[in-house]
Amino acid sequence: MKLRLLNRLKNAVVKKSIVLMYHKITEQDLDIWDLAVSPDRFEQQLQVLKETMEIVSLKQLVTTRSLFKNRVAITFDDGYIDNFKIAKPILEKYDIPATFFVTSRPDQDEREYWWDILENCILLTQNLPPVFDLCIKGEKFLFGLEGETYLTTEIMLLHKQWKAYVGHPPTLRAKLYYELWRMLKVLPYKEQSHHLKRIQEWALVADGIRSEYRTMSANDLEVLGNGGLFTIGSHTVHHPSLAQHDTAFQKKEITENKDYLENILWRRINFLAYPYGNFNAETLKIAGNLGFDAGFTTEERIFDASAIYEVGRFQVKNLTGLEFKRQLKNWLL
């Protein structure tokens, strides 16, 4: 009892810093990874932060300390267009800084991210063939959809309720999606693209891009990064699972992305976020050698300046202001 009381007193006195991680600010019907926050709820969350926390930029977080108030920095991953069209104006309304970690895929104006394409093919397509057959990394993958070739209202409802990071796939389609996601995630970009092309052909889904799934253009990034309130950070070229690849591959992905962004913005890129939060000792060494001030993971933990290339972040879900306020208290315990 005494120890618990002492811990509470310590938490009340010691001021902490946390980094929040967002991906999309949009209304999204299907969100199996909890990446989307509605614009209205995002604004509610910002109001809570303004009332309860000291909101700082990543640079302030890394270089200064606070003795008076818990601090928070806001980040976005992947560079979806809604970050520019929706999140930016709301953040500007409250004068809140944020950092946007973006990729620099050469075809990003023509194709969606691979996981969005896969989701569209398997979970959203109305009619699918009864048998899926594909060879991935030399292994034949055969999967039968049995009675789920047609996307019924009941199946779609199960997909909407499913959270892929915690729950078992509720349908055969969901199971097929998850197995393919798991296999494609670790592949380099060219192999991913090759297999996705085959999957699209199987599902009879045309190549292209849905407007709400496209990413920010170079011009968008220039406007966003040179306005004074926001910063742009590195997120690799193709969003690979870095630890699954050798040192040369990792260095190329990180260096080319950093160079691309610096050429657009005419300023140094100080921060790096590891795709999927995936990294190893070589990744950390590369981040240091390339002169990044900090590297960011997806592990949920309080900011610790002694592990500057393994900074944790808390993923924000589609919570109301009141729900978010409660969650914030839990994160700061």
mmCIF file of all heavy atoms in Angstrom, residues 18 24 29 74 78 85-86 91 108 139 170 177 197 209 227 234 236 240-241 250-251 277 283 294 327:
data_model
loop_
_atom_site.group_PDB
_atom_site.id
_atom_site.type_symbol
_atom_site.label_atom_id
_atom_site.label_comp_id
_atom_site.label_asym_id
_atom_site.label_seq_id
_atom_site.Cartn_x
_atom_site.Cartn_y
_atom_site.Cartn_z
ATOM 1 N N ILE A 18 5.777 12.108 -23.982
ATOM 2 C CA ILE A 18 5.354 11.007 -24.839
ATOM 3 C C ILE A 18 5.242 11.494 -26.284
ATOM 4 O O ILE A 18 5.094 12.693 -26.544
ATOM 5 C CB ILE A 18 4.006 10.394 -24.403
ATOM 6 C CG1 ILE A 18 2.880 11.434 -24.457
ATOM 7 C CG2 ILE A 18 4.110 9.783 -23.017
ATOM 8 C CD1 ILE A 18 1.506 10.841 -24.207
ATOM 9 N N LYS A 24 -3.930 8.209 -40.399
ATOM 10 C CA LYS A 24 -4.920 8.807 -41.293
ATOM 11 C C LYS A 24 -5.947 9.593 -40.483
ATOM 12 O O LYS A 24 -6.406 9.137 -39.435
ATOM 13 C CB LYS A 24 -5.635 7.715 -42.101
ATOM 14 C CG LYS A 24 -4.708 6.797 -42.870
ATOM 15 C CD LYS A 24 -5.472 5.804 -43.728
ATOM 16 C CE LYS A 24 -6.014 6.491 -44.969
ATOM 17 N NZ LYS A 24 -6.687 5.524 -45.865
ATOM 18 N N ASP A 29 -14.676 3.331 -43.275
ATOM 19 C CA ASP A 29 -15.591 2.249 -42.918
ATOM 20 C C ASP A 29 -14.854 1.001 -42.430
ATOM 21 O O ASP A 29 -15.197 0.412 -41.421
ATOM 22 C CB ASP A 29 -16.446 1.885 -44.141
ATOM 23 C CG ASP A 29 -17.925 2.027 -43.834
ATOM 24 O OD1 ASP A 29 -18.241 2.570 -42.759
ATOM 25 O OD2 ASP A 29 -18.748 1.614 -44.659
ATOM 26 N N ILE A 74 3.523 15.220 -31.581
ATOM 27 C CA ILE A 74 2.596 14.524 -32.482
ATOM 28 C C ILE A 74 3.312 14.151 -33.773
ATOM 29 O O ILE A 74 4.015 14.966 -34.378
ATOM 30 C CB ILE A 74 1.381 15.423 -32.787
ATOM 31 C CG1 ILE A 74 0.571 15.652 -31.504
ATOM 32 C CG2 ILE A 74 0.505 14.810 -33.875
ATOM 33 C CD1 ILE A 74 -0.536 16.670 -31.659
ATOM 34 N N ASP A 78 3.463 7.604 -42.938
ATOM 35 C CA ASP A 78 3.083 7.134 -44.278
ATOM 36 C C ASP A 78 2.715 8.216 -45.275
ATOM 37 O O ASP A 78 2.749 7.985 -46.476
ATOM 38 C CB ASP A 78 1.972 6.078 -44.231
ATOM 39 C CG ASP A 78 2.356 4.858 -43.412
ATOM 40 O OD1 ASP A 78 3.576 4.622 -43.251
ATOM 41 O OD2 ASP A 78 1.458 4.148 -42.921
ATOM 42 N N LYS A 85 -4.704 17.512 -46.479
ATOM 43 C CA LYS A 85 -5.996 18.151 -46.727
ATOM 44 C C LYS A 85 -6.828 18.345 -45.462
ATOM 45 O O LYS A 85 -7.598 19.304 -45.353
ATOM 46 C CB LYS A 85 -6.797 17.321 -47.737
ATOM 47 C CG LYS A 85 -6.256 17.382 -49.146
ATOM 48 C CD LYS A 85 -7.176 16.657 -50.109
ATOM 49 C CE LYS A 85 -6.742 16.859 -51.554
ATOM 50 N NZ LYS A 85 -7.636 16.147 -52.502
ATOM 51 N N ILE A 86 -6.702 17.412 -44.501
ATOM 52 C CA ILE A 86 -7.572 17.448 -43.326
ATOM 53 C C ILE A 86 -6.811 17.745 -42.036
ATOM 54 O O ILE A 86 -7.172 18.649 -41.273
ATOM 55 C CB ILE A 86 -8.350 16.120 -43.185
ATOM 56 C CG1 ILE A 86 -9.192 15.872 -44.447
ATOM 57 C CG2 ILE A 86 -9.243 16.141 -41.942
ATOM 58 C CD1 ILE A 86 -9.876 14.522 -44.496
ATOM 59 N N LEU A 91 -4.643 21.200 -37.316
ATOM 60 C CA LEU A 91 -3.459 21.492 -36.506
ATOM 61 C C LEU A 91 -3.146 22.992 -36.533
ATOM 62 O O LEU A 91 -2.795 23.588 -35.507
ATOM 63 C CB LEU A 91 -2.261 20.693 -37.028
ATOM 64 C CG LEU A 91 -2.292 19.188 -36.762
ATOM 65 C CD1 LEU A 91 -1.318 18.462 -37.693
ATOM 66 C CD2 LEU A 91 -1.965 18.868 -35.308
ATOM 67 N N GLN A 108 4.500 6.643 -56.310
ATOM 68 C CA GLN A 108 3.487 6.921 -55.298
ATOM 69 C C GLN A 108 2.311 7.742 -55.831
ATOM 70 O O GLN A 108 1.242 7.758 -55.211
ATOM 71 C CB GLN A 108 4.097 7.604 -54.071
ATOM 72 C CG GLN A 108 4.735 8.957 -54.325
ATOM 73 C CD GLN A 108 5.479 9.444 -53.094
ATOM 74 O OE1 GLN A 108 5.925 8.663 -52.268
ATOM 75 N NE2 GLN A 108 5.624 10.751 -52.972
ATOM 76 N N GLU A 139 7.398 -21.112 -52.716
ATOM 77 C CA GLU A 139 6.427 -21.987 -52.054
ATOM 78 C C GLU A 139 5.039 -21.758 -52.625
ATOM 79 O O GLU A 139 4.576 -20.625 -52.759
ATOM 80 C CB GLU A 139 6.415 -21.729 -50.542
ATOM 81 C CG GLU A 139 7.703 -22.142 -49.837
ATOM 82 C CD GLU A 139 7.595 -22.008 -48.332
ATOM 83 O OE1 GLU A 139 6.458 -21.925 -47.821
ATOM 84 O OE2 GLU A 139 8.648 -21.977 -47.668
ATOM 85 N N PRO A 170 -12.073 -13.511 -38.775
ATOM 86 C CA PRO A 170 -13.432 -14.015 -38.576
ATOM 87 C C PRO A 170 -14.048 -14.685 -39.803
ATOM 88 O O PRO A 170 -15.116 -15.288 -39.718
ATOM 89 C CB PRO A 170 -14.212 -12.752 -38.215
ATOM 90 C CG PRO A 170 -13.510 -11.670 -38.975
ATOM 91 C CD PRO A 170 -12.060 -12.049 -38.980
ATOM 92 N N TYR A 177 -6.478 -12.845 -46.395
ATOM 93 C CA TYR A 177 -5.833 -11.532 -46.340
ATOM 94 C C TYR A 177 -4.658 -11.547 -45.372
ATOM 95 O O TYR A 177 -3.557 -11.094 -45.714
ATOM 96 C CB TYR A 177 -6.838 -10.456 -45.907
ATOM 97 C CG TYR A 177 -6.153 -9.160 -45.517
ATOM 98 C CD1 TYR A 177 -5.834 -8.201 -46.468
ATOM 99 C CD2 TYR A 177 -5.776 -8.927 -44.190
ATOM 100 C CE1 TYR A 177 -5.164 -7.038 -46.119
ATOM 101 C CE2 TYR A 177 -5.105 -7.769 -43.833
ATOM 102 C CZ TYR A 177 -4.802 -6.830 -44.789
ATOM 103 O OH TYR A 177 -4.129 -5.696 -44.426
ATOM 104 N N LYS A 197 0.504 -7.750 -58.299
ATOM 105 C CA LYS A 197 -0.025 -7.743 -59.667
ATOM 106 C C LYS A 197 -0.787 -9.036 -59.956
ATOM 107 O O LYS A 197 -1.878 -9.029 -60.520
ATOM 108 C CB LYS A 197 1.129 -7.571 -60.656
ATOM 109 C CG LYS A 197 0.692 -7.324 -62.091
ATOM 110 C CD LYS A 197 0.101 -5.944 -62.234
ATOM 111 C CE LYS A 197 -0.247 -5.653 -63.686
ATOM 112 N NZ LYS A 197 -1.003 -4.394 -63.828
ATOM 113 N N ILE A 209 -5.387 3.967 -58.517
ATOM 114 C CA ILE A 209 -5.352 4.510 -57.160
ATOM 115 C C ILE A 209 -6.681 5.163 -56.806
ATOM 116 O O ILE A 209 -7.239 5.934 -57.582
ATOM 117 C CB ILE A 209 -4.184 5.508 -57.002
ATOM 118 C CG1 ILE A 209 -4.052 5.967 -55.561
ATOM 119 C CG2 ILE A 209 -4.325 6.687 -57.945
ATOM 120 C CD1 ILE A 209 -2.728 6.617 -55.250
ATOM 121 N N GLY A 227 6.334 25.635 -44.028
ATOM 122 C CA GLY A 227 5.408 26.598 -43.439
ATOM 123 C C GLY A 227 5.797 27.063 -42.051
ATOM 124 O O GLY A 227 5.210 28.009 -41.515
ATOM 125 N N SER A 234 11.998 11.163 -42.257
ATOM 126 C CA SER A 234 12.245 10.021 -43.145
ATOM 127 C C SER A 234 11.444 8.799 -42.720
ATOM 128 O O SER A 234 11.270 8.530 -41.525
ATOM 129 C CB SER A 234 13.735 9.665 -43.137
ATOM 130 O OG SER A 234 14.483 10.599 -43.882
ATOM 131 N N THR A 236 11.842 5.857 -45.075
ATOM 132 C CA THR A 236 12.394 4.984 -46.128
ATOM 133 C C THR A 236 11.746 5.259 -47.488
ATOM 134 O O THR A 236 10.772 6.011 -47.583
ATOM 135 C CB THR A 236 12.278 3.478 -45.809
ATOM 136 O OG1 THR A 236 10.916 3.053 -45.930
ATOM 137 C CG2 THR A 236 12.826 3.170 -44.423
ATOM 138 N N PRO A 240 9.858 -0.800 -46.245
ATOM 139 C CA PRO A 240 10.155 -2.215 -45.985
ATOM 140 C C PRO A 240 10.218 -2.521 -44.494
ATOM 141 O O PRO A 240 10.380 -1.622 -43.659
ATOM 142 C CB PRO A 240 11.539 -2.385 -46.621
ATOM 143 C CG PRO A 240 12.183 -1.057 -46.383
ATOM 144 C CD PRO A 240 11.088 -0.031 -46.532
ATOM 145 N N SER A 241 10.137 -3.789 -44.171
ATOM 146 C CA SER A 241 10.366 -4.262 -42.808
ATOM 147 C C SER A 241 11.883 -4.390 -42.652
ATOM 148 O O SER A 241 12.483 -5.410 -42.992
ATOM 149 C CB SER A 241 9.670 -5.617 -42.609
ATOM 150 O OG SER A 241 9.772 -6.056 -41.285
ATOM 151 N N GLN A 250 19.141 -1.825 -46.148
ATOM 152 C CA GLN A 250 18.616 -0.848 -45.192
ATOM 153 C C GLN A 250 19.196 0.541 -45.448
ATOM 154 O O GLN A 250 18.462 1.543 -45.486
ATOM 155 C CB GLN A 250 18.946 -1.275 -43.764
ATOM 156 C CG GLN A 250 18.218 -2.517 -43.291
ATOM 157 C CD GLN A 250 18.372 -2.717 -41.786
ATOM 158 O OE1 GLN A 250 18.175 -1.795 -41.006
ATOM 159 N NE2 GLN A 250 18.724 -3.919 -41.373
ATOM 160 N N LYS A 251 20.505 0.588 -45.633
ATOM 161 C CA LYS A 251 21.168 1.880 -45.838
ATOM 162 C C LYS A 251 20.656 2.569 -47.093
ATOM 163 O O LYS A 251 20.427 3.790 -47.107
ATOM 164 C CB LYS A 251 22.687 1.685 -45.916
ATOM 165 C CG LYS A 251 23.457 2.993 -45.979
ATOM 166 C CD LYS A 251 24.965 2.761 -45.952
ATOM 167 C CE LYS A 251 25.707 4.091 -46.005
ATOM 168 N NZ LYS A 251 27.167 3.908 -45.999
ATOM 169 N N GLY A 277 7.672 -0.088 -37.256
ATOM 170 C CA GLY A 277 8.442 -0.076 -36.017
ATOM 171 C C GLY A 277 9.509 -1.141 -35.990
ATOM 172 O O GLY A 277 10.063 -1.468 -34.936
ATOM 173 N N THR A 283 20.135 -1.187 -38.093
ATOM 174 C CA THR A 283 19.287 -0.029 -38.375
ATOM 175 C C THR A 283 19.685 1.148 -37.493
ATOM 176 O O THR A 283 19.805 2.286 -37.957
ATOM 177 C CB THR A 283 17.800 -0.360 -38.113
ATOM 178 O OG1 THR A 283 17.498 -1.677 -38.570
ATOM 179 C CG2 THR A 283 16.900 0.647 -38.801
ATOM 180 N N ALA A 294 17.227 11.507 -33.984
ATOM 181 C CA ALA A 294 16.461 10.504 -33.233
ATOM 182 C C ALA A 294 15.810 9.535 -34.208
ATOM 183 O O ALA A 294 15.566 9.854 -35.375
ATOM 184 C CB ALA A 294 15.389 11.171 -32.364
ATOM 185 N N GLN A 327 -7.317 7.547 -21.819
ATOM 186 C CA GLN A 327 -6.188 6.812 -22.375
ATOM 187 C C GLN A 327 -4.863 7.539 -22.102
ATOM 188 O O GLN A 327 -3.853 6.932 -21.776
ATOM 189 C CB GLN A 327 -6.370 6.633 -23.884
ATOM 190 C CG GLN A 327 -5.261 5.865 -24.578
ATOM 191 C CD GLN A 327 -5.184 4.423 -24.149
ATOM 192 O OE1 GLN A 327 -5.950 3.593 -24.581
ATOM 193 N NE2 GLN A 327 -4.263 4.119 -23.238
#
